[in-house]
Amino acid sequence: MPEHPSERARPLELRADCTRCFGLCCVALPFTASADFAVGKAAGTPCRNLGGENRCRIHTDLRQRGFTGCTVYDCFGAGQWVSQVTFGGQDWRSGTEDHARRMFDVFPVVRQLHEMLWYLTEALGLPAARPVHAESRRLLETTGELALGTPAELAALDVAAHRRRVNTVLLRTSELARAGVPDRAEDRRNADLVGARLRGAGLRGASLRGAWLIAADLTGADLRDTDLIGADLRDADLTGADLTGAFFLTQPQLDAARGSAATRLPASVTRPVHWAAAAR
C-alpha cells in the first residue's frame, strides 16, 4: 500500500494531475447551466466535452466557451488518488455500473480529505502556530490514513465529523498566526461583502474565513497575514493587493478572482495565467 501525502510531501501531490485521473470531476460532479457553466449535467453523467481518453476536448478554451467553473476547480489530487490507488487503476468505463457508481461516490469524500490535508500541511508551516503543531500532525496522519481506506470504508466515513475536528485545530492555528500582527484589523468572518468597495482597505491580520467577497473591489487592499479559508473570491478584484503572508488561501480561490502582475501573493499559490491575459 503506498504512503499517503504528508507534511513532507511536495505540495503538487495535493494538486490535480489530470494525466493520472479518469476524468472523475467531469463525470462524478453535477453542475447547473449558469455564468460558470454553459450547460448543466447530472452527477454520474459524463460532461459532453469529455473525450474517450478522459481528456477535456476544449481544455484550452474553457473560459471562452463558458466553462469558467471548470477552470477554478481543483480536486487537491483526489482524482488521481481515487483512480490509481483506491480503485487500483480500473477505469469507471471498463468496470460494472456498480463499480462506476462507487467510484463517483468516493471521489467527493477523498476530495474533502485532501483539502483538509492541504490546510493541515500549511498549518504546520506557520511558526507562530507551533503550540498546536503536534495536534495538527496527528490529524494530518489520521486524515492520510482515512484516505487510504477501501471504497466501502470511504463511503461510510462521517466526513463532516472529521472536518469539525480538523476545523477546531485550524481555528486555533489562525488565532496564533495572527496574534502578533501589528494593528490587526477587525475580523470579518462569514461577512457579506459581496460587491463591497474595499479599495485600499487595511485588512491586515483579519479573519476573512467564509467571507462573501464576490465581485468585491479589493484593489490595492492590504491583505497581509489574513486567514482566507473558505472566503469566496469569485470575480473579486485583487489588482495591486498585497496578500503576503496570507494563509489557507487555495489555488481555486485565487483562480476565481481577478488580479495583476502587481498583486503580491503568498508562496503557497501561483499567479493565475488568465490575469496576464486580461491585462493585454
Side-chain angles (χ1 to χ4, degrees):
M1 179 69 71
E3 292 183 358
H4 201 276
S6 70
E7 77 272 19
R8 294 174 296 280
R10 292 181 295 109
L12 287 178
E13 292 180 1
L14 291 175
R15 286 184 180 164
D17 180 354
C18 299
T19 65
R20 294 190 288 139
C21 177
F22 298 139
L24 295 184
C25 65
C26 305
V27 186
L29 306 179
F31 49 78
T32 304
S34 62
D36 292 324
F37 297 100
V39 296
K41 78 168 195 68
T45 302
C47 173
R48 68 183 189 183
N49 298 313
L50 183 65
E53 296 183 354
N54 297 316
R55 297 291 178 272
C56 176
R57 296 189 184 97
I58 62 168
H59 181 72
T60 57
D61 300 311
L62 283 167
R63 287 182 177 273
Q64 295 86 340
R65 301 282 287 273
F67 289 87
T68 302
C70 298
T71 69
V72 300
Y73 179 81
D74 192 317
C75 69
F76 295 94
Q80 64 260 29
W81 185 262
V82 171
S83 297
Q84 304 301 330
V85 179
T86 311
F87 285 88
Q90 185 179 6
D91 194 334
W92 54 270
R93 298 175 190 271
S94 59
T96 63
E97 229 178 84
D98 181 61
H99 165 80
R101 181 187 55 78
R102 287 187 297 125
M103 183 174 277
F104 301 154
D105 288 345
V106 162
F107 172 64
V109 175
V110 177
R111 197 268 183 188
Q112 290 188 67
L113 292 173
H114 275 218
E115 184 180 24
M116 286 182 257
L117 285 169
W118 178 273
Y119 290 136
L120 289 166
T121 299
E122 185 162 3
L124 286 166
L126 298 172
R130 190 168 289 109
V132 291
H133 277 182
E135 182 58 24
S136 295
R137 189 168 287 104
R138 280 194 291 271
L139 279 170
L140 188 86
E141 293 171 355
T142 299
T143 306
E145 289 169 0
L146 289 173
L148 283 165
T150 65
E153 291 169 338
L154 287 164
L157 181 64
D158 188 343
V159 185
H162 185 66
R163 183 179 284 277
R164 286 193 292 271
R165 289 192 288 273
V166 170
N167 192 50
T168 298
V169 174
L170 296 180
L171 279 168
R172 181 62 179 145
T173 295
S174 176
E175 292 165 1
L176 290 166
R178 296 179 298 112
V181 175
D183 300 320
R184 195 171 91 182
E186 177 185 357
D187 287 347
R188 305 285 189 94
R189 185 178 177 186
N190 297 323
D192 184 350
L193 297 170
V194 175
R197 298 177 180 176
L198 297 168
R199 179 181 290 258
L203 298 168
R204 185 177 184 185
S207 172
L208 293 170
R209 296 169 64 89
W212 293 75
L213 288 158
I214 302 169
D217 183 2
L218 290 160
T219 304
D222 186 355
L223 291 161
R224 289 176 294 168
D225 306 307
T226 52
D227 177 353
L228 288 164
I229 194 169
D232 193 335
L233 296 171
R234 282 177 293 169
D235 207 32
D237 192 348
L238 297 172
T239 300
D242 189 351
L243 289 86
T244 306
F247 54 94
F248 298 151
L249 171 67
T250 66
Q251 194 64 45
Q253 284 174 291
L254 199 63
D255 289 343
R258 292 179 287 134
S260 68
T263 306
R264 301 182 67 182
L265 301 174
S268 58
V269 292
T270 58
R271 196 174 308 277
V273 174
H274 72 273
W275 286 9
R280 290 199 290 269

